[in-house]
Amino acid sequence: MALGRRGARLIVVDGAEYRWRVRPRPTYCQGMGWSALAFAVERVERGGGDDAAGAGAVLVVDVGAARPDSRLGCPSLSVLPSTVAAAVRLALGRGWRPDRPGRPFLVGPEDWAEGWAKGRSAERSAARGPAEGAPPVPGAA
């Protein structure tokens, strides 16, 4: 799976270049606040004049909060470049291999901080976001 270039932004994390993107318009469920904001990241390989993307596994990050443009005004977060960099570092530390083809590597709100109970993610709705007292997503505004 490859990300489209249109609307994608480039970021360099620890010397490697990545392309990341947030869906331009919310899905119906995201607009209603039923599902959370997510973004996708892939490694960009430069060579031969063209930059080739899509050769490796894509990182999909669920922020755990609603999109800022949700219809119901749910508590939301914006995706900043610092959020993307933190997610890439976290995913690489947990085994994401952006240079090898494979299934999308998923990072959810329960992965953002040490000490969050793993079983609690299934109990709470993604639209409500992190549990009370949980640390916020790194780099989020």
Side-chain angles (χ1 to χ4, degrees), residues 19 30 36 38 40 48 52 64 76 78 111 113 128 133 137:
R19 178 178 288 128
Q30 287 174 337
S76 64
S78 297
D111 297 323
R128 290 191 311 205
V137 173

Side-chain angles (χ1 to χ4, degrees), residues 47-132:
D50 271 355
D51 53 294
V58 174
L59 170 64
V60 178
V61 181
D62 178 348
V63 177
R67 289 176 58 111
D69 56 355
S70 68
R71 295 181 185 104
L72 300 179
C74 301
S76 64
L77 293 175
S78 297
V79 177
L80 305 174
S82 58
T83 309
V84 176
V88 167
R89 287 186 186 107
L90 176 72
L92 288 171
R94 295 199 176 208
W96 176 45
R97 299 295 307 256
D99 54 341
R100 293 196 181 163
R103 296 174 53 177
F105 191 88
L106 305 175
V107 171
E110 67 276 357
D111 297 323
W112 282 105
E114 299 294 329
W116 283 15
K118 292 196 181 251
R120 295 190 70 188
S121 64
E123 296 173 11
R124 65 176 190 264
S125 166
R128 290 191 311 205
E132 291 181 25

